[in-house]
Amino acid sequence: MVTGMVGIGVVTAGIQSANARNYHADVISEIECSNFNESVLAACQQQAQAQGYSLQIKTMDYDTMGHVKRAEVILDYEYAIPVLNLVTDHQVRGFAK
């Protein structure tokens, strides 16, 4: 019984991690498609917070006209296995180009 509960907890935590990675990829795609639009960046951060994530977007690499050409996207989420009372913070990092 306990082994089954732990197994379910591990699988659930794995699914939560996969969802966070997928969400991170979607955010990067949205940022790239918007050409680093400031309102889209703000909307992504608000939406992430509403879904229980913490999202940091650090813009960098300006061209000669002052346009953003790259952004580091960092998504923080909790990896939790409640049966074991285990909760750790994890991050997914990537770049929008």
Side-chain angles (χ1 to χ4, degrees):
M1 178 74 169
V2 173
T3 304
M5 295 299 288
V6 171
I8 290 170
V10 170
V11 169
T12 301
I15 291 170
Q16 290 172 346
S17 289
N19 289 341
R21 287 190 304 271
N22 290 339
Y23 184 78
H24 181 260
D26 291 344
V27 167
I28 287 176
S29 177
E30 196 166 338
I31 290 170
E32 290 172 343
C33 289
S34 76
N35 201 25
F36 304 94
N37 184 293
E38 289 294 325
S39 62
V40 171
L41 299 179
C44 286
Q45 289 176 320
Q46 290 173 352
Q47 185 180 23
Q49 187 176 17
Q51 294 194 18
Y53 299 126
S54 173
L55 183 67
Q56 300 173 44
I57 302 171
K58 300 177 184 176
T59 57
M60 57 187 83
D61 286 345
Y62 297 92
D63 63 11
T64 56
M65 299 295 290
H67 299 113
V68 176
K69 293 172 51 178
R70 182 180 303 232
E72 183 178 20
V73 181
I74 304 167
L75 182 73
D76 294 305
Y77 67 96
E78 287 186 349
Y79 182 88
I81 304 174
V83 174
L84 299 176
N85 199 26
L86 173 69
V87 178
T88 58
D89 294 327
H90 284 221
Q91 276 189 349
V92 183
R93 291 175 169 257
F95 289 91
K97 302 174 188 174

